[in-house]
Amino acid sequence: MTAAALTVIDLVKDYGVDRRAHRAVDGVSVEIGEGEFLSLLGPSGCGKTTTLRCVAGLERPDEGRIELAGTEVYGRGGAVPTERRDIGMVFQSYAIWPHMTVFENAAFPLRVDGRRRSRSEVQNLVEEALAVVRLADLAGRSATQLSGGQQQRLALARALIRRPKLLLLDEPLSNLDAKLRGQMRAEIRDLQRKLGVSTLFVTHDQAEALSLSTRVAVMDQGRIVQRGTPREIYERPATRFVADFVGTANLVDAEVDGDGTLRTPAGSIRATCDGLKKGDRVTACFRPENVLINASKGLKGTVERVDFLGETLDCRVRLDGCAQRVTVRCHPADGVREGDAVFVEPIAERCAVLL
Ligand SMILES: Nc1ncnc2c1ncn2[C@@H]1O[C@H](COP(=O)(O)OP(=O)(O)OP(=O)(O)O)[C@@H](O)[C@H]1O
Ligand SMILES: [Mg+2]
């Protein structure tokens, strides 16, 4: 069996803030298999960048162990310096050097890694890296004369030039406008698959994490709270936090009524309640797109607001008998209007139960 590209075990990192230790990373473990694309997804300040910087060797952990392709780079044996870790990294700000040309920026990692290379060898490697990100024509241009998307691609070329075993990407798309972000997302995915480079991607954007990753690890306050495939994370969130952070979730207080049925003050619904017994207090969790409206059964309520979004009609329904509200995504052709008394019925197989 080949070793995982990256193994992080029980990583801890404290920062001193006002003479008190603040635990930025609190026992994080992740493993990335050969060629895998893993996203660390979590809100601002949850410790994503710190985790990445520890893996890169730019930050010294307080505890834990880090292995690259089965070789320890941090642990009891000490720390291997950054330049000797077989890693390429794109930072949250691209960190393109403005006083250099595109060519010089891409070539930079080759100049500082202590290996001797002939001029033509450097030339070939840079040309190849720039071709991969479609910047070959701009090699002679000053880096300041690049658009945001081009700078992003240059940062990627620089990270890939030494053909690293592991690619670390820290919110590489966050400085781009929405349209370019969509394009670059597809480009990164295609490039990663083509090169087969194992990748750790950090983002607070759930759409990026779901669309790019083979697996996602959701992070909150320095810890990983759930890991799984994008589908598992979205369809089977383990906690309220994950349900709410990844997409829009309807969360309704309920009581198990036995036999796959949940009771709420607004009515009864069906859900998957394996391992639960009658009387257990739970939270029903279902996505706006997994609810039928106008059904003759389910949760009774009143349509409070209707938002026409072009492709969909998002309806806010206030449930009877409780102060809770749910969002239902309808087809624009559905004739739902504000003030309508309706039933909302989550699709049973797509209604999760949280404790
Ligand atoms: N150099 C530092 N000194 C002190 N505290 C720090 C330092 N760097 C980060 N922190 C704190 O550690 C925590 C985690 O920071 P980190 O940068 O890893 O978050 P993040 O998940 O990358 O957030 P964002 O999405 O905003 O980039 C935060 O509370 C932050 O304030
Ligand atoms: Mg960050």
Side-chain angles (χ1 to χ4, degrees):
M1 207 180 79
T2 53
L6 171 69
T7 309
V8 175
I9 302 166
D10 298 334
L11 188 72
V12 172
K13 174 68 190 170
D14 292 327
Y15 287 117
V17 178
D18 300 334
R19 295 210 205 125
R20 295 209 345 250
H22 168 73
R23 188 147 287 192
V25 178
D26 191 5
V28 161
S29 299
V30 282
E31 192 171 280
I32 303 185
E34 196 67 44
E36 200 180 12
F37 194 116
L38 181 112
S39 289
L40 271 186
L41 171 66
S44 185
C46 73
K48 304 180 296 292
T49 296
T50 306
T51 304
L52 215 66
R53 288 175 61 83
C54 288
V55 171
L58 298 168
E59 211 71 70
R60 202 182 167 90
D62 290 289
E63 287 172 39
R65 182 180 156 86
I66 303 171
E67 287 175 15
L68 290 175
T71 305
E72 181 180 290
V73 293
Y74 181 80
R76 292 243 165 91
V80 172
T82 299
E83 60 276 13
R84 293 205 355 251
R85 299 188 186 188
D86 196 359
I87 283 177
M89 180 160 179
V90 176
F91 296 91
Q92 209 159 351
S93 59
Y94 315 138
I96 296 292
W97 285 287
H99 58 287
M100 293 184 190
T101 63
V102 168
F103 184 98
E104 289 161 350
N105 263 286
F108 190 78
L110 303 177
R111 306 214 183 281
V112 296
D113 72 353
R115 276 187 51 196
R116 288 177 83 71
R117 294 182 183 86
S118 70
R119 187 187 278 261
S120 66
E121 206 179 338
V122 171
Q123 181 81 28
N124 288 340
L125 286 169
V126 172
E127 277 175 10
E128 196 182 296
L130 291 179
V132 164
V133 298
R134 298 187 292 111
L135 282 180
D137 294 346
L138 302 181
R141 200 182 265 195
S142 157
T144 49
Q145 295 164 351
L146 297 181
S147 71
Q150 288 166 340
Q151 286 187 34
Q152 205 278 341
R153 295 213 295 269
L154 176 55
L156 211 51
R158 193 177 57 190
L160 291 168
I161 193 152
R162 292 197 301 142
R163 287 294 167 114
K165 290 260 172 46
L166 182 68
L167 182 61
L168 305 178
L169 303 174
D170 191 355
E171 313 242 13
L173 307 177
S174 56
N175 293 334
L176 306 178
D177 66 54
K179 189 150 184 214
L180 196 53
R181 196 155 59 218
Q183 280 169 14
M184 286 307 305
R185 194 197 292 169
E187 286 193 21
I188 285 184
R189 189 183 49 214
D190 293 349
L191 193 60
Q192 191 270 341
R193 285 191 189 155
K194 193 165 97 190
L195 301 176
V197 57
S198 312
T199 304
L200 177 56
F201 181 87
V202 156
T203 183
H204 63 264
D205 182 318
Q206 49 120 356
E208 272 176 19
L210 297 180
S211 65
L212 284 167
S213 318
T214 41
R215 275 188 312 134
V216 178
V218 184
M219 218 173 153
D220 183 29
Q221 296 182 35
R223 294 165 190 246
I224 290 176
V225 291
Q226 189 176 2
R227 53 189 103 223
T229 64
R231 233 174 218 285
E232 283 163 358
I233 298 285
Y234 188 78
E235 293 179 355
R236 295 262 163 256
T239 63
R240 269 176 175 261
F241 170 80
V242 177
D244 219 21
F245 188 71
V246 184
T248 307
N250 291 308
L251 300 167
V252 177
D253 297 335
E255 193 180 305
V256 177
D257 202 14
D259 208 22
T261 307
L262 301 178
R263 198 171 48 203
T264 83
S268 289
I269 54 177
R270 298 191 62 77
T272 320
C273 338
D274 300 336
L276 295 169
K277 59 180 192 309
K278 193 174 158 92
D280 283 348
R281 312 277 318 164
V282 295
T283 302
C285 167
F286 48 94
R287 304 288 184 186
E289 68 273 22
N290 292 327
V291 191
L292 306 173
I293 206 161
N294 268 335
S296 53
K297 57 187 190 331
L299 307 175
K300 201 162 187 294
T302 308
V303 178
E304 220 173 38
R305 208 177 68 214
V306 177
D307 289 328
F308 175 66
L309 300 174
E311 297 163 17
T312 63
L313 208 56
D314 280 9
C315 305
R316 195 91 179 128
V317 176
R318 180 168 36 82
L319 299 182
D320 285 1
C322 58
Q324 292 186 306
R325 285 161 174 79
V326 296
T327 302
V328 185
R329 187 149 298 161
C330 303
H331 192 275
D334 291 348
V336 185
R337 282 192 306 239
E338 283 173 22
D340 283 358
V342 293
F343 280 99
V344 295
E345 188 190 19
I347 299 168
E349 309 81 67
R350 301 201 163 253
C351 181
V353 174
L354 303 175
L355 293 174

